[in-house]
Amino acid sequence: MDVDARAEAWAALQLVPGLTTRALVALLRAFGGPVEVRAASRASLTHFVPGELADAIRGGPDAALLERTLNWLAAPGHWLVAWDDTDYPAPLLTLADPPPGFCYIGRRELLNRPALAIVGSRNATAQGTAHAEAFAAALSAAGLTIVSGLALGIDAAAHRGGLSGAASSIAVVGTGLDRVYPPANRDLAKRLAEHGGLLSEFALGTPPLPGNFPRRNRLISGLSRGVLVVEATLNSGSLITARLAAEQGREVFAIPGSIDSPFSKGSHRLIRDGAKLVETAADVLEELELTLPAEPKVTARDPDPPPDGVPGRVLAALGYDPAGIDILTERTGLSTQAVAAALVELEVSGRVAALPGGSYQRLR
Amino acid sequence: MDVDARAEAWAALQLVPGLTTRALVALLRAFGGPVEVRAASRASLTHFVPGELADAIRGGPDAALLERTLNWLAAPGHWLVAWDDTDYPAPLLTLADPPPGFCYIGRRELLNRPALAIVGSRNATAQGTAHAEAFAAALSAAGLTIVSGLALGIDAAAHRGGLSGAASSIAVVGTGLDRVYPPANRDLAKRLAEHGGLLSEFALGTPPLPGNFPRRNRLISGLSRGVLVVEATLNSGSLITARLAAEQGREVFAIPGSIDSPFSKGSHRLIRDGAKLVETAADVLEELELTLPAEPKVTARDPDPPPDGVPGRVLAALGYDPAGIDILTERTGLSTQAVAAALVELEVSGRVAALPGGSYQRLR
């Protein structure tokens, strides 16, 4: 096992039951470092924390859990990054409550790159995930590391895009790093571990607890220069992340959408409250006073010309909001059969997506 | 001909070649009124305008054109509204260059109601026209008279919605009021003449000249408390109207849409520049500090209750678009004789008008 005494002390302190970030920070300030905190006498600890907590610190964490953590840290590409490490992300130090340390898997050099958070709903529309992936790909190619959670929908799409660019992508998760939640993102987590990063301030073994996700959100925004909300319902956690970002002095960006889509209502509320409306990755870069590299990838959405004939008419009638076959029949004056056949053709060519409930959404 | 001397003087001055609004205003201020301007000596006129213009004023307009204008004004529901009329729209007086007078067809009492302009692209999407019509219907029902141009697309949809509500709709056109441009909106213009209003500051006979439309736009915004842009491309004239509105101190509202739709790019630019993003008619009313009435307040359109019995059924079946006896027979299930008798009764009471070709049009 090649974990040094300092890393072991950090890991041990992270696992002490009941030791909050605030109390740990007070102790680190008082004693100078994690090794010194662990070596402190009960009497001196109780100047800063209650007696029971002093006992818990001196007793140390559960031995099996510490062993497991040290084993995990011994594996290649696994790290405990503490605030006195040179790789500790500088932007986190501007927060009111930066984590004293966090577990990390992946490329450490990504931790201090300029970063942009991309967040949104789990049940995003096909257009929403396409936008998240396209913006992330363009911004990562332009040198911004993408930061998001590890949820389905927008989060996963943002990482797929981020991984495709040079600046890659980091997932900040709400569980211990020895777990992947949700399990459906196992392959994505593996790719992030190899080519990007996975970050958690929670101890190994921490299950997905609802209370931990809002806390996690402050790191998503805290690591980033700004937060881009792609699609969000009015009760989406993304709005919490956006609010935290504003409080942390980060930029907030939002992609607008149809006023008929519940997945755009959150973005629209943010824009009304002062978020920047963005239509392209270049808009984000401009606002952050960065520039796209010579060959921008983001607007290359539609290299092939629009279809002719009946499919072309149906696509034009569909516009950019979801619509059902009945509406399209009415708008085009075509028969139901003709519209249905055109929709199949458009779906096969990747122009439209069928939505639950029988309506169709234009993709490009 | 029952056009009085004052109206005749206004009409004559409006037709003098080369007499700009600015010069006319200076003369009206100097001499007190249109009759006095026409009676002024060449010497006194030349204190304010060049000699050639003084000659043109004293020479008067082309006699045939004046005759045609006076004939037009003598028709019921045709007006020349001048800035010393009590019905002259008060909001226009706040403009830098209010028209001294304008031609008007329709309900004069609409000219001083609270109004909202709804504008957008001619080639709008199906959703765009649906949004324009729905917002206009709700806002007209809430007491805001809708103001727009007379173009296809968003303009026409806004008027259809506005006409359905109590506060109705006014088209501000860029041609003389004896022309309808584009011809496809002939039926809409007829309905506006009967149930709403049509307004032009241009002399009768003025053809659709490109240069007149931007000038016309300042009246669309000028008449209104705010301008709602529904769908607009980046080169849409609607953006000019919105800019004029902001310069005139009017509110600017915009409906967002998909970032992939060229018809939302204009709206998005406006939102970035400070326009209010709106998702519902209630958003517009809230921003204007108005509220949606529980029951629409404005009932001026139909003071007497709708007829009962067979005439009531026929009127309901007629709706607000022209229909022939055959269609009404089919819609009501009544005999041809019963429908014909009801139509005579409705025509006598001023509810419907017989149109050339045997169809009927609801008037109120």
Side-chain angles (χ1 to χ4, degrees):
Chain A
M1 194 178 302
D2 58 356
V3 179
D4 65 20
R6 184 177 147 279
E8 179 174 342
W10 273 115
L13 287 174
Q14 207 190 20
L15 297 172
V16 170
L19 181 54
T20 62
T21 296
R22 187 182 299 265
L24 178 54
V25 167
L27 293 171
L28 290 165
R29 290 226 166 92
F31 294 95
V35 174
E36 291 76 7
V37 171
R38 290 200 80 205
S41 69
R42 186 181 192 280
S44 55
L45 288 172
T46 53
H47 284 113
F48 304 95
V49 295
E52 300 122 61
L53 197 50
D55 291 335
I57 291 165
R58 289 184 54 77
D62 177 78
L65 186 55
L66 180 58
E67 169 94 13
R68 178 171 155 196
T69 304
L70 297 178
N71 280 332
W72 185 89
L73 285 173
H78 287 194
W79 317 95
L80 197 149
V81 180
W83 64 1
D84 54 354
D85 276 318
T86 50
D87 286 342
Y88 188 91
L92 289 186
L93 295 174
T94 67
L95 304 192
D97 55 348
F102 55 80
C103 292
Y104 184 71
I105 308 178
R107 292 165 58 193
R108 283 177 72 118
E109 75 274 18
L110 296 180
L111 288 170
N112 268 296
R113 295 192 65 95
L116 185 88
I118 299 184
V119 298
S121 286
R122 280 189 295 279
N123 309 310
T125 69
Q127 248 171 355
T129 52
H131 288 155
E133 188 166 344
F135 273 72
L139 293 168
S140 169
L144 281 171
T145 298
I146 304 305
V147 177
S148 191
L150 195 60
L152 301 174
I154 299 298
D155 285 11
H159 290 306
R160 284 197 301 274
L163 282 166
S164 79
S168 199
S169 213
I170 296 175
V172 184
V173 306
T175 64
L177 273 191
D178 52 347
R179 286 167 168 257
V180 174
Y181 180 81
N185 276 339
R186 203 174 292 276
D187 279 351
L188 180 62
K190 189 178 287 181
R191 289 180 58 211
L192 285 165
E194 286 166 0
H195 306 292
L198 290 148
L199 185 159
S200 173
E201 65 177 317
F202 301 108
L204 293 184
T206 305
L209 303 171
N212 283 346
F213 288 89
R215 181 165 172 75
R216 180 275 315 258
N217 290 347
R218 88 188 194 293
L219 296 190
I220 292 179
S221 52
L223 282 164
S224 307
R225 300 225 179 160
V227 171
L228 169 63
V229 178
V230 177
E231 274 192 342
T233 55
L234 282 176
N235 59 5
S236 167
S238 307
L239 300 197
I240 298 173
T241 309
R243 185 171 52 72
L244 290 169
E247 286 170 11
Q248 292 166 353
R250 272 53 168 171
E251 295 282 348
V252 181
F253 306 100
I255 296 179
S258 168
I259 58 172
D260 301 322
S261 167
F263 292 103
S264 290
K265 292 205 184 302
S267 299
H268 293 161
R269 174 179 288 177
L270 289 173
I271 292 167
R272 274 201 285 240
D273 291 349
K276 305 267 162 38
L277 181 157
V278 290
E279 296 183 295
T280 63
D283 292 342
V284 173
L285 293 170
E286 189 185 337
E287 204 64 52
L288 294 174
E289 298 179 351
L290 303 167
T291 47
L292 266 177
E295 206 81 30
K297 283 175 186 166
V298 69
T299 46
R301 280 185 69 87
D302 201 0
D304 52 331
D308 298 324
V310 170
R313 281 171 66 190
V314 171
L315 192 66
L318 180 54
Y320 291 87
D321 291 330
I325 289 187
D326 50 342
I327 293 173
L328 295 173
T329 304
E330 195 185 308
R331 286 180 188 164
T332 55
L334 296 166
S335 70
T336 308
Q337 287 76 6
V339 170
L343 284 169
V344 168
E345 193 174 325
L346 291 167
E347 206 181 340
V348 167
S349 65
R351 290 275 183 177
V352 307
L355 303 181
S359 64
Y360 289 81
Q361 167 79 58
R362 183 170 180 161
L363 294 180
R364 59 191 176 86
Chain B
M1 195 178 303
D2 58 358
V3 178
D4 66 18
R6 183 178 149 281
E8 180 174 340
W10 273 116
L13 287 174
Q14 208 191 19
L15 297 173
V16 170
L19 180 53
T20 61
T21 296
R22 186 181 299 267
L24 178 54
V25 166
L27 293 171
L28 290 165
R29 290 227 166 91
F31 295 94
V35 174
E36 291 77 5
V37 170
R38 290 200 80 206
S41 69
R42 185 180 192 281
S44 55
L45 287 171
T46 53
H47 284 113
F48 304 95
V49 295
E52 300 122 60
L53 196 49
D55 291 334
I57 291 165
R58 289 184 53 79
D62 177 79
L65 186 54
L66 180 59
E67 168 94 12
R68 178 172 156 196
T69 303
L70 297 178
N71 280 332
W72 185 90
L73 285 173
H78 287 192
W79 317 95
L80 196 151
V81 180
W83 64 2
D84 54 354
D85 276 316
T86 51
D87 286 342
Y88 187 91
L92 289 187
L93 295 174
T94 67
L95 304 190
D97 55 347
F102 56 79
C103 291
Y104 185 70
I105 309 179
R107 293 164 58 194
R108 283 177 70 118
E109 75 275 17
L110 296 179
L111 287 170
N112 268 295
R113 297 195 61 94
L116 184 88
I118 298 183
V119 298
S121 286
R122 281 189 294 280
N123 309 311
T125 69
Q127 285 97 9
T129 53
H131 288 154
E133 187 165 347
F135 273 71
L139 293 168
S140 171
L144 281 171
T145 298
I146 304 306
V147 177
S148 192
L150 194 61
L152 301 174
I154 299 297
D155 285 12
H159 289 307
R160 285 197 301 273
L163 283 165
S164 78
S168 200
S169 213
I170 297 176
V172 184
V173 305
T175 64
L177 274 190
D178 52 348
R179 286 168 168 258
V180 173
Y181 179 80
N185 276 338
R186 205 173 290 277
D187 280 350
L188 179 63
K190 190 177 285 180
R191 290 178 59 211
L192 285 164
E194 287 165 357
H195 307 294
L198 290 149
L199 186 159
S200 173
E201 65 176 318
F202 301 107
L204 293 184
T206 304
L209 303 171
N212 284 345
F213 288 89
R215 183 166 171 75
R216 179 276 313 259
N217 290 347
R218 87 189 195 292
L219 297 189
I220 291 179
S221 52
L223 282 164
S224 307
R225 300 223 179 161
V227 171
L228 170 63
V229 178
V230 177
E231 274 192 342
T233 55
L234 282 176
N235 59 4
S236 168
S238 307
L239 301 196
I240 299 172
T241 309
R243 185 172 52 72
L244 291 170
E247 286 170 12
Q248 292 165 352
R250 271 57 169 168
E251 296 282 349
V252 180
F253 305 101
I255 296 180
S258 167
I259 58 172
D260 301 322
S261 168
F263 293 103
S264 291
K265 293 206 183 303
S267 299
H268 293 162
R269 174 180 286 179
L270 290 173
I271 292 167
R272 273 201 285 242
D273 290 349
K276 304 267 162 38
L277 181 158
V278 291
E279 295 183 294
T280 63
D283 290 343
V284 174
L285 293 170
E286 190 186 336
E287 204 63 52
L288 294 174
E289 297 179 353
L290 303 167
T291 47
L292 268 175
E295 304 261 344
K297 282 176 194 159
V298 191
T299 48
R301 191 162 148 181
D302 200 359
D304 52 334
D308 297 325
V310 171
R313 283 170 65 189
V314 172
L315 191 66
L318 180 53
Y320 287 89
D321 289 324
I325 290 186
D326 50 343
I327 291 172
L328 296 172
T329 304
E330 195 184 306
R331 287 182 188 162
T332 56
L334 296 165
S335 70
T336 307
Q337 288 75 9
V339 169
L343 284 169
V344 169
E345 194 176 323
L346 290 166
E347 205 181 342
V348 168
S349 65
R351 291 275 185 177
V352 306
L355 302 182
S359 64
Y360 288 81
Q361 167 77 55
R362 184 170 180 162
L363 296 179
R364 59 189 175 85

